[in-house]
Coordinates of all heavy atoms in Angstrom, one line a residue:
F1341 N 10.7 2.8 -9.0 CA 11.0 3.6 -10.2 C 11.3 5.0 -9.6 O 10.7 5.4 -8.6 CB 9.8 3.6 -11.2 CG 8.6 4.1 -10.7 CD1 8.2 5.4 -10.9 CD2 7.7 3.2 -10.1 CE1 7.0 5.9 -10.2 CE2 6.4 3.7 -9.7 CZ 6.1 5.1 -9.7
V1342 N 12.1 5.8 -10.3 CA 12.5 7.2 -9.8 C 11.4 8.1 -10.0 O 10.9 8.3 -11.1 CB 13.8 7.6 -10.4 CG1 14.2 8.9 -9.9 CG2 14.9 6.5 -10.2
I1343 N 11.0 8.7 -8.9 CA 10.1 9.9 -9.0 C 10.9 11.1 -8.9 O 11.6 11.4 -8.0 CB 9.0 10.0 -7.8 CG1 8.2 8.6 -7.8 CG2 8.1 11.1 -7.8 CD1 7.2 8.4 -6.7
P1344 N 10.9 12.0 -10.1 CA 11.8 13.0 -10.2 C 11.8 14.0 -9.0 O 12.9 14.5 -8.6 CB 11.3 13.7 -11.5 CG 10.6 12.6 -12.2 CD 10.0 11.7 -11.3
H1360 N 19.4 8.1 -15.4 CA 19.6 8.0 -16.8 C 18.2 8.2 -17.4 O 17.2 7.5 -17.0 CB 20.1 6.6 -17.2 CG 21.4 6.3 -16.5 ND1 22.6 6.4 -17.3 CD2 21.8 6.0 -15.3 CE1 23.6 6.0 -16.5 NE2 23.1 5.8 -15.3
C1361 N 18.1 9.2 -18.3 CA 16.8 9.5 -18.8 C 16.6 8.7 -20.1 O 17.5 8.5 -21.0 CB 16.8 11.0 -19.2 SG 15.1 11.6 -19.4
S1362 N 15.5 8.1 -20.2 CA 15.1 7.3 -21.4 C 15.0 8.1 -22.6 O 14.3 9.3 -22.6 CB 13.8 6.5 -21.2 OG 13.3 6.1 -22.4
P1363 N 15.5 7.8 -23.8 CA 15.4 8.6 -25.0 C 14.0 8.6 -25.5 O 13.6 9.4 -26.3 CB 16.4 8.0 -26.0 CG 16.6 6.6 -25.4 CD 16.3 6.7 -24.0
D1364 N 13.1 7.6 -25.1 CA 11.8 7.5 -25.6 C 10.9 8.6 -25.1 O 10.0 9.0 -25.8 CB 11.2 6.2 -25.0 CG 12.0 5.0 -25.5 OD1 12.6 5.1 -26.5 OD2 11.8 3.9 -24.8
G1365 N 11.2 9.2 -24.0 CA 10.4 10.4 -23.5 C 8.9 10.0 -23.2 O 8.5 8.8 -23.1
Y1366 N 8.2 11.0 -23.0 CA 6.8 10.8 -22.5 C 6.0 10.2 -23.6 O 4.9 9.6 -23.3 CB 6.2 12.0 -21.9 CG 6.6 12.3 -20.4 CD1 7.7 13.0 -20.1 CD2 6.1 11.6 -19.4 CE1 8.1 13.2 -18.8 CE2 6.4 11.7 -18.1 CZ 7.5 12.5 -17.8 OH 8.0 12.6 -16.5
E1367 N 6.3 10.6 -24.8 CA 5.4 10.2 -26.0 C 5.3 8.7 -26.0 O 4.1 8.2 -26.1 CB 6.1 10.6 -27.3 CG 5.9 12.1 -27.6 CD 4.5 12.5 -27.6 OE1 3.5 11.8 -28.1 OE2 4.1 13.6 -26.9
K1368 N 6.4 8.0 -25.9 CA 6.3 6.5 -25.9 C 5.6 6.0 -24.6 O 4.9 5.0 -24.7 CB 7.7 6.0 -25.9 CG 7.7 4.5 -26.3 CD 9.0 4.1 -27.0 CE 9.0 2.6 -27.4 NZ 10.1 2.1 -27.8
L1369 N 5.8 6.7 -23.5 CA 5.2 6.1 -22.2 C 3.6 6.2 -22.5 O 2.9 5.3 -22.1 CB 5.6 7.0 -21.1 CG 5.1 6.5 -19.8 CD1 6.2 6.8 -18.6 CD2 3.9 7.2 -19.4
L1370 N 3.2 7.4 -23.0 CA 1.8 7.6 -23.2 C 1.2 6.6 -24.2 O 0.1 6.1 -24.1 CB 1.5 9.0 -23.7 CG 1.7 10.1 -22.6 CD1 1.5 11.5 -23.3 CD2 0.8 9.9 -21.4
K1371 N 2.1 6.3 -25.3 CA 1.6 5.4 -26.3 C 1.4 4.0 -25.6 O 0.4 3.3 -25.8 CB 2.6 5.3 -27.4 CG 2.1 4.5 -28.7 CD 3.1 4.9 -29.9 CE 2.9 3.8 -31.0 NZ 3.4 2.5 -30.7
R1372 N 2.3 3.5 -24.8 CA 2.3 2.2 -24.2 C 1.1 2.1 -23.3 O 0.4 1.2 -23.1 CB 3.6 1.9 -23.4 CG 4.7 1.6 -24.5 CD 5.7 0.7 -23.7 NE 7.0 0.6 -24.5 CZ 8.1 0.4 -24.0 NH1 8.2 0.1 -22.8 NH2 9.2 0.3 -24.7
S1373 N 0.9 3.3 -22.5 CA -0.2 3.3 -21.5 C -1.5 3.1 -22.4 O -2.4 2.4 -21.9 CB -0.3 4.6 -20.8 OG 0.8 4.7 -19.9
A1374 N -1.6 3.8 -23.5 CA -2.8 3.7 -24.4 C -3.0 2.2 -24.8 O -4.1 1.7 -24.8 CB -2.7 4.7 -25.5
E1375 N -1.9 1.5 -25.2 CA -1.9 0.2 -25.7 C -2.5 -0.8 -24.5 O -3.3 -1.6 -24.8 CB -0.6 -0.3 -26.1 CG -0.1 0.3 -27.5 CD 1.4 0.0 -27.7 OE1 2.0 -0.6 -26.9 OE2 1.8 0.6 -28.7
I1376 N -2.1 -0.5 -23.4 CA -2.4 -1.3 -22.3 C -3.8 -1.1 -22.0 O -4.6 -2.0 -21.8 CB -1.6 -1.1 -21.0 CG1 -0.1 -1.6 -21.2 CG2 -2.2 -1.7 -19.7 CD1 0.9 -1.1 -20.1
L1377 N -4.3 0.2 -22.1 CA -5.7 0.3 -21.8 C -6.6 -0.2 -22.8 O -7.6 -0.9 -22.4 CB -5.9 2.0 -21.7 CG -7.3 2.4 -21.3 CD1 -7.6 2.1 -19.9 CD2 -7.5 3.9 -21.6
I1378 N -6.2 -0.1 -24.0 CA -6.9 -0.8 -25.1 C -7.0 -2.3 -24.9 O -8.1 -2.9 -25.0 CB -6.4 -0.4 -26.5 CG1 -6.6 1.1 -26.8 CG2 -7.0 -1.3 -27.6 CD1 -5.8 1.7 -27.9
P1391 N 1.2 -5.4 -23.5 CA 2.5 -5.1 -23.8 C 3.4 -5.1 -22.5 O 2.7 -5.0 -21.4 CB 2.5 -3.7 -24.4 CG 1.1 -3.3 -24.5 CD 0.3 -4.3 -23.8
P1392 N 4.7 -5.2 -22.6 CA 5.5 -5.3 -21.5 C 5.3 -4.1 -20.5 O 5.0 -3.0 -20.9 CB 6.9 -5.2 -21.9 CG 6.9 -5.5 -23.4 CD 5.4 -5.2 -23.8
R1393 N 5.3 -4.3 -19.1 CA 4.8 -3.3 -18.2 C 6.0 -2.4 -17.9 O 5.9 -1.5 -17.1 CB 4.2 -4.0 -17.0 CG 2.8 -4.3 -17.3 CD 2.2 -5.1 -16.1 NE 0.9 -5.5 -16.4 CZ -0.2 -4.9 -16.0 NH1 -0.1 -3.8 -15.4 NH2 -1.4 -5.4 -16.4
Q1394 N 7.2 -2.7 -18.2 CA 8.4 -2.1 -17.7 C 8.7 -0.8 -18.6 O 9.3 -0.9 -19.6 CB 9.5 -2.8 -17.9 CG 9.8 -3.8 -16.5 CD 10.5 -3.0 -15.5 OE1 10.0 -1.9 -15.2 NE2 11.6 -3.5 -14.9
Y1395 N 8.0 0.2 -18.2 CA 8.2 1.6 -19.1 C 8.6 2.6 -18.0 O 7.8 2.9 -17.1 CB 7.1 1.9 -19.9 CG 5.7 1.8 -19.2 CD1 5.2 3.0 -18.6 CD2 5.0 0.6 -19.3 CE1 4.0 2.9 -18.0 CE2 3.8 0.6 -18.6 CZ 3.3 1.7 -18.0 OH 2.1 1.7 -17.4
Q1396 N 9.8 3.2 -18.1 CA 10.1 4.2 -17.1 C 10.9 5.2 -17.9 O 11.8 5.0 -18.7 CB 11.1 3.6 -16.1 CG 10.4 2.6 -15.2 CD 11.3 1.8 -14.3 OE1 12.5 2.0 -14.3 NE2 10.7 0.9 -13.5
I1397 N 10.7 6.5 -17.5 CA 11.4 7.6 -18.1 C 12.8 7.7 -17.5 O 13.8 7.9 -18.1 CB 10.6 8.9 -17.8 CG1 9.3 8.9 -18.5 CG2 11.4 10.1 -18.3 CD1 9.3 8.9 -19.9
L1398 N 12.8 7.5 -16.2 CA 14.1 7.6 -15.4 C 14.5 6.2 -15.0 O 13.8 5.5 -14.2 CB 14.0 8.6 -14.3 CG 14.0 10.1 -14.6 CD1 13.8 10.8 -13.4 CD2 15.2 10.5 -15.3
R1399 N 15.8 5.9 -15.2 CA 16.4 4.8 -14.6 C 17.7 5.2 -13.8 O 18.0 6.4 -13.9 CB 16.7 3.7 -15.6 CG 15.5 3.1 -16.2 CD 15.6 1.8 -16.8 NE 14.3 1.3 -17.1 CZ 14.0 0.4 -18.0 NH1 15.0 -0.1 -18.8 NH2 12.9 -0.1 -18.1

Side-chain angles (χ1 to χ4, degrees):
F1341 62 91
V1342 181
I1343 296 177
H1360 300 259
C1361 198
S1362 158
D1364 297 339
Y1366 279 99
E1367 285 305 315
K1368 191 152 183 191
L1369 185 146
L1370 290 174
K1371 188 165 170 283
R1372 288 207 195 158
S1373 291
E1375 283 167 4
I1376 290 173
L1377 186 67
I1378 290 163
R1393 282 173 183 262
Q1394 273 278 49
Y1395 47 92
Q1396 294 172 359
I1397 298 291
L1398 285 177
R1399 291 195 168 159

